[in-house]
Amino acid sequence: GDSVTQMEGPVTLSEEAFLTINCTYTATGYPSLFWYVQYPGEGLQLLLKATKADDKGSNKGFEATYRKETTSFHLEKGSVQVSDSAVYFCALTDNYGQNFVFGPGTRLSVLP
Amino acid sequence: EAQVTQNPRYLITVTGKKLTVTCSQNMNHEYMSWYRQDPGLGLRQIYYSMNVEVTDKGDVPEGYKVSRKEKRNFPLILESPSPNQTSLYFCASSPLGPQGVDTQYFGPGTRLTVL
């Protein structure tokens, strides 16, 4: 079945460092891909999405490109801030269009 | 404001005492879903609904019931809660696009403790 693999972390960075969180997927169809962020004590919020190959999603300085050839959707940010400390989830829509498949989440801590 | 609301936000109860967690969305979304989040296990789907009167099991439906009588509401019912249902619960809703479920919008969560 469809699945999402992402580095589980925790990832600890200093403020202004470059961030990459890897996400790879297995899917039989042509899924949409998402990154969600969960700040402490809150629900998940959409960070960015891409709906087809080579699309780049971007928001709040974060970017991810839908790479069909490598089945990847890695999240990047050039300069992280303390306020980016959160758990990040990679996800895709399943082949039936009925559900999401979530990765396990990656906890990011940014130190001042 | 477009949102998904859940109530209560926090609940402590005892084994066997029936409870309902409400979920409501004001975005006219067809799709709604319930998840539980547990440390080390990530997000697991309990039930989902593609539209009014259409519900289906997710990955961990045992011990839970849902209903979808109106488009905006999707309550989660625990008829006889047990301690292993202690968890953080999230409701979500989504419009249905040409490919099916699209961006999901999540509620703030309900932290349930069953003693």
Side-chain angles (χ1 to χ4, degrees):
Chain A
D2 298 348
S3 66
V4 174
T5 302
Q6 61 177 111
M7 50 197 295
E8 294 201 30
V11 175
T12 303
L13 296 173
S14 298
E15 203 164 27
E16 299 184 1
F18 184 86
L19 168 70
T20 299
I21 300 178
N22 290 336
C23 171
T24 57
Y25 67 91
T26 302
T28 51
Y30 301 93
S32 295
L33 302 175
F34 303 81
W35 277 101
Y36 279 83
V37 58
Q38 184 180 27
Y39 298 104
E42 298 185 11
L44 279 72
Q45 302 174 25
L46 176 69
L47 182 58
L48 53 84
K49 67 185 258 191
T51 57
K52 62 183 187 297
D54 300 325
D55 268 3
K56 177 186 281 188
S58 61
N59 186 25
K60 300 181 181 179
F62 291 89
E63 293 183 339
T65 301
Y66 191 142
R67 301 285 188 202
K68 192 164 173 28
E69 64 276 12
T70 55
T71 61
S72 64
F73 193 54
H74 304 322
L75 182 68
E76 296 183 336
K77 187 175 186 184
S79 176
V80 293
Q81 306 300 312
V82 172
S83 56
D84 294 326
S85 298
V87 180
Y88 293 82
F89 293 91
C90 185
L92 58 79
T93 50
D94 73 5
N95 193 39
Y96 304 100
Q98 293 185 346
N99 289 305
F100 270 38
V101 177
F102 284 92
T106 299
R107 182 174 298 279
L108 170 66
S109 294
V110 181
L111 305 178
Chain B
E1 180 190 354
Q3 59 183 348
V4 178
T5 57
Q6 296 178 226
N7 282 292
R9 294 290 312 280
Y10 303 90
L11 179 60
I12 300 175
T13 189
V14 295
T15 298
K17 186 176 181 182
K18 181 179 179 178
L19 67 92
T20 299
V21 183
T22 65
C23 173
S24 183
Q25 51 97 2
N26 62 1
M27 295 170 279
N28 202 37
H29 288 164
E30 296 87 356
Y31 180 96
M32 297 186 75
S33 181
W34 277 103
Y35 297 88
R36 60 179 289 175
Q37 185 178 31
D38 302 288
L41 297 176
L43 279 162
R44 294 180 292 170
Q45 189 179 52
I46 303 170
Y47 270 94
Y48 65 98
S49 169
M50 299 293 285
N51 215 323
V52 176
E53 302 291 0
V54 180
T55 63
D56 212 340
K57 296 177 181 179
D59 299 318
V60 289
E62 293 77 20
Y64 303 95
K65 284 178 58 176
V66 293
S67 68
R68 188 92 182 273
K69 293 183 170 50
E70 307 165 282
K71 200 171 189 179
R72 63 183 294 126
N73 296 323
F74 191 45
L76 179 70
I77 303 157
L78 285 72
E79 296 217 326
S80 184
S82 63
N84 64 12
Q85 292 178 299
T86 293
S87 187
L88 180 58
Y89 291 86
F90 289 103
C91 180
S93 73
S94 168
L96 289 179
Q99 307 297 326
V101 63
D102 201 340
T103 304
Q104 289 197 65
Y105 297 86
F106 284 79
T110 295
R111 185 166 293 282
L112 172 66
T113 301
V114 183
L115 302 175

